[in-house]
Amino acid sequence: MRPPSAGAFMSAYQNRDSMNGFLFESSISIYTASTSDSAMKTPENEHSPSVWEDVVENEWPFDFGLSILHFKNHLGLGFGFQFLNPYISLGAAFDHFGIMGWTDWRLIAVCNGEPEAFRGGISVMEQILPTPNLSVGLFQFASRTEALYMAGGGDVWVPYKEDDVSNSYSCWDDDTDCYWKKEKSDFAEPYYYGFIEFGGGTYVRYKMNAVLGLGLEFRYSYDVTYKANRLAFTMNLFLG
């Protein structure tokens, strides 16, 4: 679960009077992250700080998104997918200001009888309209984000638990009782991990005709969990 597009949310408000208030959006996002040895913070259950150097280096670098947003006056509701992960968004918007919150299905999910960790956040947007067809905006956000990384082909770090008889078994990597060990692997496998980030960015959106629009979005954030700098670039196609 990554922060959804701020530009898409504000575009849905701008297009609330067309297509019965609905806007359809597709996007592709590219991600990159960097950290340094001196800034590395190792979570309590980590056995080695090099684990998260490997994670950042092998993080999944892009995703595809689809969403549908609907505005009734100033209130907006959205539903979408990032890859196959469903999420919802809810907020309010005006010509020059908006606020949006979001979360994914794990808000109500459980794993092994325990609630899943929350994934979601909140974004505040400011916007100007140089022309009727052009929107330029800034946004700020706080998020508990979830990211994928691929591990495989050699020594990889995997999460595990030990029960009362010292038999190890796998567990979710954000479980408070998880530990880590190295295993040999010939194939790349997907894992996910969560982190808290604060950041902001800018977007521009151009309406090409009555129903079609294009958008670009840039986002910078600071990952306070793993002391990483994160960048995201998003390209949007709007229909509405």
Side-chain angles (χ1 to χ4, degrees):
M1 182 70 235
R2 301 275 190 166
S5 170
F9 186 79
M10 293 300 285
S11 292
Y13 173 73
Q14 296 299 131
N15 291 274
R16 66 194 181 279
D17 295 327
S18 64
M19 295 182 65
N20 294 317
F22 287 92
L23 180 135
F24 300 88
E25 178 246 359
S26 63
S27 65
I28 181 171
S29 297
I30 300 173
Y31 304 111
T32 183
S34 62
T35 189
S36 64
D37 294 340
S38 61
M40 186 66 64
K41 174 182 180 294
T42 306
E44 292 180 359
N45 290 338
E46 296 292 340
H47 293 316
S48 167
S50 65
V51 171
W52 293 106
E53 291 174 340
D54 294 340
V55 165
V56 171
E57 182 178 349
N58 291 289
E59 189 173 293
W60 195 255
F62 67 92
D63 72 24
F64 296 99
L66 293 171
S67 68
I68 179 173
L69 298 107
H70 177 67
F71 263 85
K72 183 69 173 180
N73 296 323
H74 295 285
L75 297 179
L77 175 67
F79 176 79
F81 290 90
Q82 293 180 354
F83 277 118
L84 298 177
N85 183 57
Y87 70 90
I88 58 172
S89 61
L90 179 67
F94 302 85
D95 285 339
H96 303 293
F97 176 80
I99 183 168
M100 172 182 63
W102 66 88
T103 185
D104 73 356
W105 62 274
R106 294 178 182 91
L107 179 67
I108 57 174
V110 295
C111 178
N112 296 325
E114 297 293 333
E116 283 272 4
F118 171 77
R119 281 82 160 168
I122 189 169
S123 180
V124 177
M125 295 145 279
E126 306 86 29
Q127 179 176 268
I128 60 173
L129 305 168
T131 73
N133 293 330
L134 179 65
S135 303
V136 180
L138 300 174
F139 61 93
Q140 306 80 41
F141 70 93
S143 176
R144 202 286 183 175
T145 299
E146 196 79 8
L148 281 172
Y149 70 100
M150 301 298 290
D155 290 337
V156 296
W157 290 91
V158 295
Y160 77 101
K161 281 186 178 180
E162 289 185 352
D163 60 20
D164 294 337
V165 294
S166 299
N167 292 321
S168 63
Y169 58 97
S170 62
C171 62
W172 297 108
D173 57 5
D174 58 357
D175 193 312
T176 56
D177 296 325
C178 268
Y179 294 89
W180 294 84
K181 63 180 178 180
K182 274 188 175 182
E183 287 187 352
K184 292 287 187 179
S185 175
D186 296 326
F187 302 97
E189 298 181 47
Y191 293 89
Y192 67 81
Y193 69 106
F195 52 88
I196 296 173
E197 60 176 337
F198 299 91
T202 184
Y203 64 86
V204 59
R205 165 246 178 195
Y206 181 72
K207 191 167 184 178
M208 301 172 63
N209 54 44
V211 296
L212 189 64
L214 297 175
L216 294 173
E217 188 166 311
F218 166 77
R219 185 171 75 235
Y220 164 79
S221 64
Y222 183 67
D223 172 353
V224 300
T225 305
Y226 300 112
K227 309 298 183 186
N229 296 293
R230 297 183 176 274
L231 299 176
F233 302 89
T234 300
M235 295 174 286
N236 312 90
L237 176 65
F238 306 119
L239 182 64

